[in-house]
Amino acid sequence: MPLNPDTQSLTIVRPDDWHLHLRDGATMASVLPHTARQFGRAIVMPNLRPPVTTTGHAQAYRERILQALPAGLEFEPLMTIYLTDNTSANEIRRARESGIIHGVKLYPAGATTNSDAGVTDLRKCGAALEAMQECGLPLLMHGEVTDAAIDIFDREAVFIDRVLIPLRKDFPALKVVFEHITTRQAAQYVRDAAGAIGATITAHHLLYNRNEIFRGGIRPHYYCLPVLKREEHRQALVAAATSGNPRFFLGTDSAPHAKGLKEHACGCAGCYTALHALELYAEAFSAAGALDKLEGFASLHGAAFYDLPANAGSVTLERHEWEIPAELPMGETTVVPLDAGGRLGWRMAD
Ligand code: NCD
Ligand code: ZN
């Protein structure tokens, strides 16, 4: 039932972030508390330099995350490994048996930040995909083709036809997450396709269309990959996220880059949303008159897809206006949160 539009507070099962970049070292120590304050668990992306390609790397990375977690915050990092042309079936089985690895990430080589070691041709990954299908380890896909002849705004839609559909024909029982979907085509595909498939949706793709990157000048903090799309796509994503369909769940893709590397002649891709993720989603769901659908999207659907129980605790969002800070300390540098200086109408209570 839709909530009363005057609702002043909303309590939901503690949510999870099913797509997150935590980085490493001092950067990680700065950003981790933001995520751990809001979310019970997060799927941690493996695109470090060098990438997290083995179970051993993922175990060591997980230990570093737990070490950096401030006392009093409860948070469980759900680790992933980075698929390469050379990932073996044995590595996949080791990952599954470790119990700490919950997905294998596909970065098409060259598609995004730290994807150089990614897959050049999925046909080289047959043994790994076969093993994943067999042991039920999901493939988490950055779903964009890297063909320079394809317009950057079309790369996701083309990926569905060229890569995703053939892959799912060959591996019909493979569990797949189409990460950070940005188009009507992806939302429709995930809604209608047969078999085990889910999709994460970021807050920024629910809130903004591509005009935001160019409003009054070039605005690098709105540049991420996959890039923001036209308004019709944003609307399709809002419809999917607020539909109650359990295939769609929260994944912030919060991707911290130092301020100077965003405000740069060749700026990095990524939006920093870990600070205010839930509030940004609440804003998007509230604008769609669908706050009653936030709990399923943020706290229940992803856990069910990953065969995990929902979190035990809860969080409360209150109607309260506040201003997003201009920047935040991050290691030796700073990071600019998405919509810095803007105002939010919801705030997570401590
Ligand atoms: C991510 C990053 O910076 O690691 N950037 C982004 O724009 N989303 C990589 C990714 O998820 O594509
Ligand atoms: Zn990402």
Side-chain angles (χ1 to χ4, degrees):
M1 219 185 49
L3 291 177
N4 176 333
D6 297 327
T7 301
Q8 293 302 309
S9 87
L10 175 66
T11 297
I12 60 173
V13 168
R14 188 172 188 77
D16 299 302
D17 184 349
W18 300 100
H19 181 126
L20 175 68
H21 299 273
L22 279 178
R23 314 302 191 207
D24 212 343
T27 298
M28 173 175 73
S30 301
V31 300
L32 174 63
H34 295 153
T35 290
R37 178 175 167 263
Q38 299 209 328
F39 297 102
R41 297 167 291 201
I43 287 275
V44 180
M45 288 295 126
N47 62 332
L48 303 183
R49 232 184 295 223
V52 179
T53 52
T54 67
T55 299
H57 293 157
Q59 279 164 332
Y61 184 28
R62 180 171 180 274
E63 288 308 314
R64 295 197 296 280
I65 296 170
L66 294 174
Q67 287 282 316
L69 193 64
L73 285 178
E74 259 181 62
F75 173 74
E76 192 186 350
L78 306 173
M79 307 312 291
T80 60
I81 58 170
Y82 186 115
L83 188 66
T84 72
D85 289 352
N86 305 314
T87 306
S88 69
N90 274 340
E91 193 59 61
I92 297 297
R93 285 189 278 269
R94 255 195 303 279
R96 182 43 139 185
E97 281 156 22
S98 75
I100 61 145
I101 293 168
H102 296 265
V104 179
K105 179 69 194 238
L106 165 65
Y107 287 107
T112 188
T113 308
N114 297 349
S115 62
D116 305 350
V119 171
T120 61
D121 185 342
L122 254 188
R123 279 170 295 195
K124 295 185 176 164
C125 301
L129 293 166
E130 189 74 54
M132 288 163 62
Q133 173 171 254
E134 216 176 270
C135 70
L137 201 54
L139 179 67
L140 317 183
M141 298 179 327
H142 183 109
E144 288 191 290
V145 293
T146 52
D147 182 345
I150 305 294
D151 190 280
I152 189 167
F153 293 100
D154 297 332
R155 288 181 186 174
E156 182 174 287
V158 171
F159 179 89
I160 299 170
D161 295 326
R162 280 201 197 166
V163 182
L164 182 56
I165 292 174
L167 168 77
R168 298 190 72 238
K169 245 190 215 124
D170 291 346
F171 301 95
L174 180 66
K175 273 179 102 162
V176 168
V177 183
F178 200 159
E179 300 281 335
H180 45 50
I181 60 168
T182 63
T183 56
R184 169 176 54 77
Q185 290 90 334
Q188 274 171 10
Y189 177 81
V190 171
R191 186 193 63 195
D192 298 337
I197 186 161
T200 57
I201 307 180
T202 77
H204 40 290
H205 289 98
L206 294 175
L207 289 167
Y208 304 116
N209 65 41
R210 65 191 193 177
N211 286 346
E212 206 60 26
I213 310 169
F214 307 104
R215 191 160 53 77
I218 186 137
R219 305 195 331 142
H221 297 291
Y222 293 85
Y223 172 59
C224 64
L225 287 171
V227 70
L228 293 171
K229 304 294 192 300
R230 286 177 181 276
E231 176 63 10
E232 63 160 307
H233 298 291
R234 189 192 70 80
Q235 287 180 15
L237 298 175
V238 170
T242 61
S243 66
N245 184 331
R247 286 185 169 183
F248 298 104
F249 36 90
L250 183 157
T252 62
D253 197 15
S254 178
H257 291 278
K259 181 179 185 209
L261 294 177
K262 292 283 295 172
E263 299 172 5
H264 192 275
C266 187
C268 296
C271 298
Y272 188 65
T273 55
L275 175 77
H276 47 340
L278 261 190
E279 291 92 339
L280 291 166
Y281 281 106
E283 213 68 52
F285 276 65
S286 171
L291 272 175
D292 59 318
K293 295 294 200 300
L294 184 61
E295 183 177 54
F297 177 80
S299 316
L300 306 176
H301 300 167
F305 183 90
Y306 278 92
D307 294 324
L308 293 168
N311 289 315
S314 64
V315 297
T316 297
L317 283 155
E318 329 168 303
R319 244 189 232 284
H320 174 94
E321 230 190 86
W322 60 289
E323 188 176 314
I324 303 167
E327 55 191 282
L328 303 158
M330 185 172 76
E332 312 264 275
T333 62
T334 64
V335 63
V336 176
L338 186 74
D339 196 27
R343 300 189 77 78
L344 283 164
W346 290 91
R347 184 180 65 177
M348 194 187 120
D350 275 312

